[in-house]
Amino acid sequence: MGNKGSLNIVLLGAPGAGKGTQADILVKAYHLPHVSTGDMLRAAVKEGGKLGIKIKTCMDKGELVPDEIVTASVVDRMKKSDAANGVILDGYPRTLAQAESLDKALSREKRNISAVLYFKTSENVVVQRLSGRRVCPSCGKNYHVTNIPPKKEGICDTCNIKLVLRDDDKPETVKNRLKVYEERTKDLVDYYKKNGLLREVDGDLSANKLFEQINTLFKREGFVNDCCNG
Ligand code: AMP
């Protein structure tokens, strides 16, 4: 793992808050790897084996994968050389127990979380984003009917197949997902508020405007300098 000077950012926010889109921008701007536990777990399922089967069983039921499996994968990922200068953590930690075990693991490596970006969003914006989201069933790339349209309407730019609306992105389900999300993450938000790491950002802004807000914040905190974005 890298040293204390590394920039380790946690992205926290409801589904549809724009974390994935912002993660792509931050990765390019600051040359840090995007560590998404959802992606890592899907890759582990593809690899198969006993562990893959165990993970798949949890994911298929929509349950969280046991903390020790997820934390071990994240900590291992952070030991890779491309993560020495920091990481953009997306989808992790998701529970208070994960936040605590991550802190313990990082402190053993003389490393810490630099900031937690908490994407605040209003319900109508999230419903509009998620109900307009379309996903490629083959490569998993996300589009949006108006915000990020594919080149050919309804068709994946890369795979040339029909995009789909995820079942859980339907407006009637989105409201419930948001409620569940808030209940589940309340402890996590309180934890990061208490230890002074939580930074609220405006998830209702467009992706570029939100990046400006984050970059200004990072400059003020001394995480990045003025001459460049990283
Ligand atoms: P995501 O792509 O972030 O929506 O994650 C997809 C699924 O992976 C979740 O529904 C969980 O089953 C699992 N997962 C992702 N991140 C975590 C995490 N931090 N802790 C436990 N399970 C996770």
Side-chain angles (χ1 to χ4, degrees):
M1 282 198 194
N3 55 35
K4 252 193 149 189
S6 58
L7 183 58
N8 303 301
I9 302 297
V10 172
L11 306 184
L12 197 63
K19 299 189 301 292
T21 309
Q22 204 52 225
D24 290 342
I25 299 178
L26 297 174
V27 160
K28 285 195 194 113
Y30 305 132
H31 313 290
L32 298 174
H34 179 196
V35 176
S36 149
T37 43
D39 289 350
M40 284 164 62
L41 294 168
R42 277 182 286 274
V45 169
K46 265 196 185 156
E47 267 176 35
K50 264 195 194 157
L51 185 65
I53 293 168
K54 193 170 173 187
I55 294 173
K56 188 174 182 323
T57 313
C58 299
M59 289 178 86
D60 284 351
K61 283 193 247 162
E63 284 170 9
L64 291 184
V65 173
D67 285 352
E68 60 280 9
I69 297 179
V70 188
T71 298
S73 317
V74 171
V75 172
D76 276 355
R77 178 66 188 86
M78 288 179 76
K79 282 181 181 161
K80 298 221 164 111
S81 59
D82 68 332
N85 291 327
V87 284
I88 305 291
L89 283 172
D90 177 9
Y92 180 91
R94 247 182 168 88
T95 62
L96 181 59
Q98 287 180 0
E100 287 170 346
S101 56
L102 178 66
D103 278 353
K104 271 191 210 134
L106 289 179
S107 78
R108 278 197 293 272
E109 309 289 337
K110 309 248 178 313
R111 197 163 166 174
N112 54 17
I113 298 294
S114 316
V116 176
L117 297 179
Y118 182 41
F119 290 53
K120 290 288 273 185
T121 36
S122 46
E123 188 178 286
N124 56 352
V125 171
V126 171
V127 172
Q128 189 270 346
R129 278 188 191 149
L130 293 184
S131 53
R133 175 157 80 176
R134 296 293 179 272
V135 188
C136 171
S138 174
C139 70
K141 189 172 180 225
N142 282 318
Y143 297 87
H144 188 278
V145 285
T146 47
N147 305 350
I148 321 166
K151 289 190 190 112
K152 224 192 289 167
E153 199 185 321
I155 304 289
C156 177
D157 292 347
T158 318
C159 309
N160 207 26
I161 60 171
K162 207 164 180 279
L163 301 173
V164 295
L165 171 69
R166 274 169 50 171
D167 278 343
D168 58 352
D169 278 349
K170 292 180 179 150
E172 59 276 19
T173 343
V174 167
K175 288 188 184 169
N176 191 43
R177 276 170 75 197
L178 291 179
K179 205 169 134 247
V180 170
Y181 175 83
E182 261 173 40
E183 283 163 10
R184 282 229 185 121
T185 45
K186 202 180 165 303
D187 287 351
L188 203 54
V189 170
D190 287 347
Y191 176 76
Y192 285 125
K193 227 181 233 174
K194 263 190 214 136
N195 69 11
L197 288 177
L198 199 80
R199 304 286 181 270
E200 278 187 15
V201 294
D202 186 354
D204 286 353
L205 292 174
S206 69
N208 289 338
K209 284 255 155 51
L210 177 55
F211 173 68
E212 276 172 34
Q213 190 185 58
I214 294 172
N215 199 39
T216 304
L217 178 88
F218 281 7
K219 282 180 188 164
R220 202 167 53 226
E221 306 240 1
F223 295 155
V224 298
N225 43 43
D226 268 331
C227 67
C228 48
N229 286 332

